[in-house]
Amino acid sequence: MLMEDFGATSLDLLLNQKRFSLEQLLDIVIKVMEGLDEIHYAGIIHKDINPSNIVMNPDTGQVKIIGFGIASSIKNGETGCNNSNIVEGTLAYIPPEQTGRTNQTIDHRADFYSFGATLYELLAHKPPFSRIDHMDLIHCHLAKDPIPLSSIRSDIPEVLSQIVLKLMSKDAEERYAAAKGVKADLQKCLDRVKKGEHAFSFPLGDEDSHRSLKIDQKLYGRKKEIELLQSGFQQVLSGKKKLVFIAGPAGIGKTFLIQEIEQYFLKKNSIFIMGKFNLLQQTVPYTGIIEAFSQLSRHLLTRSDRDLDKWQKKISAILGNQGYEIIELVPEFKKILGPKSPVSGLDGQEARNRFYLMIENFLSVFAGKNHPLVVFLDDLQWVDPSSLELIKQIVSSPFIESIYIIGAFRDNEVVPEHPLQTMLESLIKEEVEYESIRLAPLDSSSVSQLISECLTCPLEKARPLSQWIHTRSLGNPFYAGELLSALNEQKKLIYDISQRMWTWDLMEIQALSLPESITKLLAKKIQGLSQQTQNILMLAACIGTMFELS
């Protein structure tokens, strides 16, 4: 990108050269937000807002945003999930969803988090989190709240401090929805400061709304289930092992429930890893467990040298010369364990027992009261018998404490003769404790809340539409969201810019001929893509649930 030289200097340099008044800083950041609004309206996420990427001509006051090296184009306000191992962005300002450690979608609100961290530094003269170690810094963005600005500087109005905290919410749903909403609140602050006021307040986000439909990444109607999972985790913190199964049909929110509570685990200093079983690899042993162990290896390899050395010593003290099978499962562990030789002379059940013992000893290193291990295994309806036997060994092991194994499966696909059902029956016979949580369809009030928040309208206005969606979706949250998207794509949901509200005609919606099932609705959506894209998707489906685009 070629940009003209308009005599500008980056804000990080200007901050070192002169002190800005609160009024001057507010004027600058309002201009930044105007620029960010233009960027988002053009369908772009910047992904690296920080003081060095904001430039200003100190004589004219003109402000521009630069540094589009990792920017992404967006459609309908969304990009895909960031499951990359590569962290893009500047760590001091990076939003949680951009670290690769969460399953949240990266959208335009990632820029609001980085802007909030930038505003924090402009006002406090230091970034929100000051850590030398990169992993500690990432952990702060994932699990810690910054010290409120009003506690650092007495001349900063409390409401401005609240704006920054809202921008820096860990959950994107709790941030502002649109740049115009941020600008409006900052402008109110500037107007009051110009009048010489200091102690003032107003409700945040009164003028905050987004022009494109955004399906909230938020959990609805699952308070009881979250409390059950948190209660189980408290037992793990006291040194117990815990096994929980979450059942329900596809789209009911099993995976999303765990993603929602993941931050709770991380705040308690736990190590969280997850693996997913695959329909096309049911005959391959340990696929989901290997994926979870791969995450564990990445967790270690991205620590500081000092931390990694500490873990290596702990593992060596437990395993000694053992560990060859772990490297066979997850080759990345060779960098951590060093070269290992296979043990000869064992076969059959003897070799299997030795393998189980080694895995138990290995996991005992990571599962402790000070750092419990949480293992989430998804799609157990496609699990292999070897994995089930290993899970059973782990929860029965006398060597492991403070481990929380959570398994999720589609109960409508687990028939009586399914290996998982056989395992559950054997756990009961052997008096091995486990808990079951079944996710029921959302009730009509939860769907009404979902629709009301997506369309930013009162519950009463949303209720007739939400009742239609609840009936069509049978209370399945994924299906409800897809129905809402389908209505938007067919221009049955219109955003009225003058009134700043969504409008629709329920009679027109009821007359629509939409597919009667989620499968057919998604099939129709895929058929609307170009033939080349459809071909790529078919190839990708053969590879698995995750693949490199190239």
Side-chain angles (χ1 to χ4, degrees):
M1 182 182 285
L2 191 66
M3 301 179 77
E4 79 277 18
D5 181 353
F6 64 103
T9 306
S10 61
L11 277 190
D12 61 332
L13 295 177
L14 285 173
L15 283 173
N16 293 325
Q17 295 170 8
K18 62 176 287 188
R19 284 265 174 170
F20 292 92
S21 68
L22 181 58
E23 184 178 326
Q24 287 173 319
L25 283 175
L26 283 170
D27 184 62
I28 292 167
V29 295
I30 286 170
K31 289 173 182 174
V32 173
M33 197 42 64
E34 286 172 352
L36 204 51
D37 186 41
E38 293 286 338
I39 291 166
H40 291 167
Y41 191 66
I44 294 166
I45 316 170
H46 187 279
K47 289 167 67 178
D48 200 15
I49 297 293
N50 67 70
S52 66
N53 281 334
I54 298 166
V55 293
M56 184 179 88
N57 182 315
D59 299 321
T60 65
Q62 189 179 13
V63 175
K64 290 190 179 186
I65 296 170
I66 61 169
F68 288 83
I70 59 168
S72 296
S73 63
I74 49 176
K75 185 182 178 184
N76 297 328
E78 286 190 8
T79 70
C81 284
N82 178 26
N83 292 314
S84 171
N85 297 330
I86 301 168
V87 178
E88 288 188 321
T90 307
L91 280 184
Y93 315 91
I94 199 166
E97 61 269 31
Q98 213 169 299
T99 64
R101 270 77 176 169
T102 78
N103 287 291
Q104 291 183 48
T105 301
I106 298 173
D107 62 18
H108 65 284
R109 293 171 298 184
D111 286 341
F112 296 156
Y113 184 96
S114 300
F115 173 77
T118 298
L119 181 52
Y120 190 102
E121 182 170 352
L122 296 179
L123 294 167
H125 306 294
K126 63 179 181 180
F129 306 114
S130 300
R131 296 287 190 279
I132 297 173
D133 183 270
H134 287 181
M135 287 307 298
D136 285 346
L137 192 51
I138 287 174
H139 177 73
C140 289
H141 287 299
L142 288 170
K144 293 192 175 180
D145 294 319
I147 299 169
L149 284 164
S150 53
S151 302
I152 297 173
R153 278 181 59 181
S154 58
D155 61 326
I156 292 179
E158 176 62 31
V159 72
L160 182 54
S161 181
Q162 290 170 4
I163 289 170
V164 172
L165 291 176
K166 182 176 174 67
L167 286 163
M168 290 191 67
S169 295
K170 306 300 180 194
D171 185 351
E173 306 300 339
E174 294 175 7
R175 297 174 206 153
Y176 286 86
K180 286 188 181 297
V182 185
K183 183 195 167 188
D185 283 356
L186 291 173
Q187 188 64 54
K188 287 176 188 175
C189 288
L190 178 58
D191 293 343
R192 302 289 184 87
V193 169
K194 281 181 175 178
K195 293 176 183 176
E197 296 180 35
H198 174 70
F200 55 86
S201 65
F202 51 82
L204 301 186
D206 265 3
E207 297 178 47
D208 190 34
S209 60
H210 200 257
R211 289 168 285 196
S212 61
L213 181 68
K214 181 75 184 72
I215 309 297
D216 282 349
Q217 287 184 281
K218 184 177 173 182
L219 204 61
Y220 294 89
R222 303 296 185 208
K223 185 181 176 185
K224 180 184 171 186
E225 289 83 357
I226 284 178
E227 287 173 353
L228 283 169
L229 287 166
Q230 288 177 340
S231 172
F233 187 67
Q234 288 301 318
Q235 295 175 44
V236 173
L237 287 172
S238 67
K240 290 185 178 180
K241 293 188 290 289
K242 193 82 180 168
L243 178 60
V244 176
F245 292 102
I246 301 171
I252 204 69
K254 302 180 292 297
T255 308
F256 194 48
L257 173 65
I258 303 304
Q259 290 170 357
E260 185 76 8
I261 202 173
E262 183 183 342
Q263 292 300 318
Y264 174 80
F265 298 144
L266 293 174
K267 283 181 179 179
K268 302 291 183 180
N269 201 36
S270 71
I271 299 170
F272 180 90
I273 57 176
M274 70 171 287
K276 192 178 179 76
F277 290 93
N278 194 313
L279 172 64
L280 301 178
Q281 294 178 308
Q282 285 176 274
T283 57
V284 182
Y286 309 124
T287 52
I289 292 172
I290 289 169
E291 193 177 306
F293 279 19
S294 294
Q295 284 196 5
L296 183 57
S297 72
R298 289 196 293 274
H299 172 81
L300 296 176
L301 289 168
T302 51
R303 303 297 298 181
S304 67
D305 290 343
R306 187 183 61 188
D307 270 2
L308 180 57
D309 184 59
K310 184 179 73 176
W311 283 111
Q312 284 171 326
K313 285 175 180 174
K314 284 184 178 181
I315 297 167
S316 295
I318 288 284
L319 291 186
N321 293 323
Q322 296 180 339
Y324 175 80
E325 293 88 346
I326 292 173
I327 295 170
E328 284 282 285
L329 288 175
V330 185
E332 298 102 298
F333 269 112
K334 188 172 184 179
K335 298 172 186 174
I336 300 164
L337 302 179
K340 301 287 181 184
S341 302
V343 176
S344 57
L346 296 177
D347 53 23
Q349 189 60 46
E350 194 177 20
R352 205 158 29 247
N353 289 342
R354 184 187 168 282
F355 171 70
Y356 291 150
L357 182 60
M358 186 200 54
I359 293 291
E360 290 167 39
N361 286 331
F362 176 68
L363 290 178
S364 71
V365 175
F366 305 99
K369 290 180 184 178
N370 296 327
H371 46 77
L373 179 63
V374 181
V375 185
F376 174 48
L377 298 172
D378 205 0
D379 283 332
L380 286 175
Q381 70 276 2
W382 298 322
V383 71
D384 60 281
S386 298
S387 294
L388 290 173
E389 188 58 38
L390 183 55
I391 293 166
K392 190 174 165 185
Q393 287 293 136
I394 291 168
V395 294
S396 307
S397 172
F399 307 111
I400 303 176
E401 62 173 19
S402 298
I403 191 169
Y404 200 12
I405 299 179
I406 305 169
F409 64 95
R410 300 177 188 175
D411 52 351
N412 58 319
E413 295 184 29
V414 176
V415 292
E417 60 272 17
H418 192 284
L420 178 59
Q421 191 60 49
T422 307
M423 177 208 178
L424 295 177
E425 289 166 6
S426 72
L427 289 175
I428 294 169
K429 283 180 187 174
E430 295 168 30
E431 298 183 347
V432 177
E433 288 186 17
Y434 72 89
E435 280 187 38
S436 293
I437 298 172
R438 190 180 191 283
L439 295 190
L442 297 182
D443 57 24
S444 58
S445 63
S446 295
V447 174
S448 291
Q449 188 186 354
L450 185 156
I451 304 303
S452 165
E453 292 185 15
C454 285
L455 301 179
T456 57
C457 67
L459 273 170
E460 280 306 312
K461 185 184 177 187
R463 193 160 282 125
L465 175 61
S466 64
Q467 284 173 348
W468 178 83
I469 287 177
H470 182 260
T471 303
R472 289 295 299 260
S473 67
L474 301 175
N476 184 299
F478 180 72
Y479 192 6
E482 287 298 323
L483 280 171
L484 207 58
S485 293
L487 295 178
N488 184 47
E489 286 163 11
Q490 296 194 27
K491 302 290 189 288
K492 298 302 176 186
L493 290 174
I494 307 293
Y495 187 75
D496 187 322
I497 294 174
S498 61
Q499 298 185 68
R500 293 207 304 272
M501 62 186 286
W502 288 93
T503 60
W504 61 89
D505 185 320
L506 187 59
M507 291 184 70
E508 278 189 18
I509 288 171
Q510 289 170 335
L512 275 178
S513 177
L514 286 172
E516 66 274 13
S517 72
I518 182 64
T519 310
K520 290 181 179 177
L521 185 67
L522 289 174
K524 188 175 180 183
K525 198 172 184 178
I526 292 168
Q527 286 157 11
L529 302 170
S530 72
Q531 191 57 52
Q532 184 188 16
T533 303
Q534 289 185 50
N535 292 339
I536 291 170
L537 283 175
M538 284 190 279
L539 287 170
C542 296
I543 299 167
T545 55
M546 286 182 66
F547 54 89
E548 290 183 17
L549 186 58
S550 58

